[in-house]
Amino acid sequence: MFKRLDQNLIDTVAQQASSSDRLRQSYNFHALDEKVQRSLICLQPGTYVRPHRHKREIGHNGFELCLILQGAVGMLLFNDQGAIIHQEQISADGTTSGIEFLEGTYHTLIALVPNTVIFEVKEGPYDSTTDKEFLSCFPLEGTIAAEKLVQTWHSYFVSPI
């Protein structure tokens, strides 16, 4: 009949993210085969979101809409060679609380405060083999190089708004 997005759910997902090796956790409001994906994602500082983009087959849209419900992120956009072409801070309490990435835009998000929560919407259905196209010049998740890169990226942003 309905699904509730309340503080109890946010706190539960945040606790799961804190306990996760990846320092992030998703909660899907959708089934994986649904046309519209709707996810609550909690990011903890130190999580590494490898720069990627979304591309879909003709007739589908690879956009990604992210609304910050709690906390703050640093957003980085990259060109095809991995150079940063834009950076911006986005927060639940700031002047910018959401961002939509157009199809084909390489991006990453850096959690700036604990328990940062994003509500993400993108076109489905989800296919783990085609959902993301990673920029190969960036390290794999779980490596020391990735940890150092997150620390560097985090330093680009001032204290959260």
Side-chain angles (χ1 to χ4, degrees), residues 104-123:
T105 303
Y106 283 111
H107 62 279
T108 191
L109 298 174
I110 300 98
L112 300 178
V113 296
N115 303 327
T116 292
V117 177
I118 298 167
F119 189 76
E120 177 186 270
V121 178
K122 60 185 182 179
E123 186 170 342

Side-chain angles (χ1 to χ4, degrees), residues 96-111:
T96 302
S97 58
I99 193 84
E100 182 175 280
F101 303 110
L102 301 180
E103 180 167 0
T105 303
Y106 283 111
H107 62 279
T108 191
L109 298 174
I110 300 98

Side-chain angles (χ1 to χ4, degrees), residues 21-22 38-39 48 82 85-86 92 113 122 140 155-156:
D21 291 340
R22 299 176 79 200
R38 305 161 316 277
S39 300
Y48 174 59
I85 57 172
H86 184 79
V113 296
K122 60 185 182 179
L140 296 175
S155 73
Y156 296 167

